[in-house]
Amino acid sequence: KRFLTSSQNIASELFTAEQKRQYDQIGRVEKIEIRYLGTPEDTTLIMNKGISTPYECARHLSEQHCKSSALALLDSNIPWDMRRPLQESCTLQLLNFTIADPYIVNKAFWRTCSFLLGAALQNLFKEEAGLLLHSFPVPNIRSGSFIHDISLEHSNWKPKKAELRAISVEMIKLANRDLKIDRLDVDHELAMEMFQSNPIKLEQLPSITNQNNGFVTIYRVGDHIDISKGPMISSTGFINKCTISAVHKLSIDDGVAPAIYRVQGVALPNGLNINHFAYGIIEERSKKLNAARLPNEPFDAELAI
């Protein structure tokens, strides 16, 4: 039985309805000039303001551009989701994991893995476990792991290898489904409705919306939604290999539920292959407690997720 299935469905339906409402509000369509920089050659595309996305630009280039582009870069310095509508004329570069300097796309990949880890956990935990997703701090590739902090009614959860393996398998299942990842900016009231079943998110939202002119950015994969400033890679299909390696209890061991846990993992994107021995070293390193911002530290929308 999936955890909070009905709540997830309701939130996803609200996401879809708001997505449609925002699209329907677009009046007269304006044209913008997108200057694509890259292979096979630089070219100029005339696209629709507020409607066309980098992914649709990629479709004008080739099927291979659609398959390989994980993230866009606007005007050489603005990371941009592949399915996020373009708002003005700009230059466009399409990033993959084999470019000379993959830092920006790798960071988006790490953030996406944290987001998907939340989806995997919600798919696996039963309702009686009392799972609540807390947050996932800014990705730090040098830390050696991506993370997701969660709250559980179980005050002394020490997962066995088989349990960690089950979460890893769920991550790979999400990857194999090649699900698109959508982004949407919503107002405070709608966000509160979307996360009505998660008191932790309800507590976080006022701080986030106050720092973002009353809005919050929501991402969706399948029926799973969460808060993140992004950007993220365009699809789950970019994940090649993934291991959920460790769970660390963060809250004081006073025996009082719920408890806060940090779930950690490591992953490789498609196109990046290393041998079994090297991957084993990376897996081992990812087990060390990630020193990212703790859930009980002041929540700052500029720093978080």
Side-chain angles (χ1 to χ4, degrees):
K1 178 183 177 181
R2 290 181 59 189
F3 176 71
L4 286 179
T5 300
S6 60
S7 297
Q8 285 179 281
N9 287 342
I10 291 170
S12 182
E13 288 169 3
L14 289 170
F15 187 104
T16 299
E18 177 62 12
Q19 202 173 39
K20 182 180 184 302
R21 187 194 70 80
Q22 291 185 18
Y23 182 85
D24 290 343
Q25 274 197 328
I26 298 173
R28 177 176 168 272
V29 177
E30 297 180 38
K31 297 296 181 180
I32 53 176
E33 187 175 287
I34 307 301
R35 181 64 177 167
Y36 167 72
L37 306 176
T39 59
E41 61 182 5
D42 297 353
T43 188
T44 298
L45 303 170
I46 304 302
M47 308 300 287
N48 296 323
K49 179 179 180 179
I51 298 175
S52 300
T53 66
Y55 185 81
E56 286 161 344
C57 292
R59 290 178 63 183
H60 283 277
L61 299 170
S62 75
E63 184 178 352
Q64 183 57 34
H65 283 83
C66 294
K67 289 181 177 179
S68 64
S69 301
L71 191 71
L73 188 66
L74 309 188
D75 292 333
S76 300
N77 65 355
I78 304 173
W80 198 266
D81 298 86
M82 286 293 294
R83 290 185 169 85
R84 182 181 179 185
L86 296 159
Q87 300 298 328
E88 58 189 9
S89 297
C90 61
T91 64
L92 169 68
Q93 294 165 268
L94 299 175
L95 308 183
N96 57 50
F97 296 101
T98 59
I99 57 177
D101 183 6
Y103 173 77
I104 293 174
V105 68
N106 282 345
K107 189 173 181 180
F109 177 76
W110 224 234
R111 178 184 291 111
T112 306
C113 287
S114 288
F115 170 57
L116 295 178
L117 177 52
L121 291 167
Q122 283 205 317
N123 286 347
L124 289 172
F125 274 86
K126 295 182 178 180
E127 188 170 356
E128 52 265 31
L131 169 69
L132 292 175
L133 300 183
H134 190 290
S135 59
F136 45 101
V138 172
N140 179 0
I141 299 168
R142 291 183 178 180
S143 70
S145 60
F146 61 83
I147 63 178
H148 204 122
D149 294 335
I150 64 171
S151 170
L152 281 180
E153 286 296 330
H154 198 311
S155 62
N156 195 30
W157 182 41
K158 296 179 180 178
K160 299 176 181 178
K161 287 184 178 180
E163 293 176 276
L164 294 176
R165 193 177 303 116
I167 305 172
S168 303
V169 168
E170 188 65 27
M171 290 283 286
I172 295 301
K173 285 181 180 178
L174 288 170
N176 290 340
R177 290 174 66 189
D178 193 19
L179 298 169
K180 70 174 183 176
I181 297 172
D182 287 322
R183 171 191 173 116
L184 189 67
D185 293 328
V186 307
D187 63 28
H188 177 78
E189 184 178 350
L190 180 57
M192 293 290 283
E193 188 175 357
M194 285 180 165
F195 292 100
Q196 59 183 302
S197 63
N198 188 329
I200 295 175
K201 301 290 184 185
L202 296 181
E203 187 176 335
Q204 294 169 354
L205 280 168
S207 173
I208 298 173
T209 54
N210 285 342
Q211 296 180 58
N212 290 280
N213 300 314
F215 286 86
V216 60
T217 302
I218 308 293
Y219 279 84
R220 179 176 67 176
V221 61
D223 286 333
H224 174 72
I225 67 165
D226 209 341
I227 303 165
S228 176
K229 68 177 183 179
M232 295 197 190
I233 60 173
S234 61
S235 165
T236 63
F238 282 103
I239 295 177
N240 177 18
K241 184 178 287 189
C242 179
T243 303
I244 304 307
S245 55
V247 174
H248 297 279
K249 186 175 181 180
L250 300 181
S251 50
I252 299 172
D253 191 10
D254 55 7
V256 178
I260 301 294
Y261 297 90
R262 174 157 289 176
V263 187
Q264 302 184 183
V266 67
L268 293 178
N270 284 331
L272 182 60
N273 296 308
I274 61 175
N275 63 49
H276 180 74
F277 178 76
Y279 187 71
I281 293 174
I282 294 173
E283 280 184 312
E284 195 61 34
R285 183 187 173 203
S286 71
K287 295 177 182 179
K288 181 181 178 182
L289 175 62
N290 191 304
R293 177 187 59 84
L294 296 173
N296 61 351
E297 293 177 354
F299 194 83
D300 187 337
E302 290 300 316
L303 298 177
I305 50 186

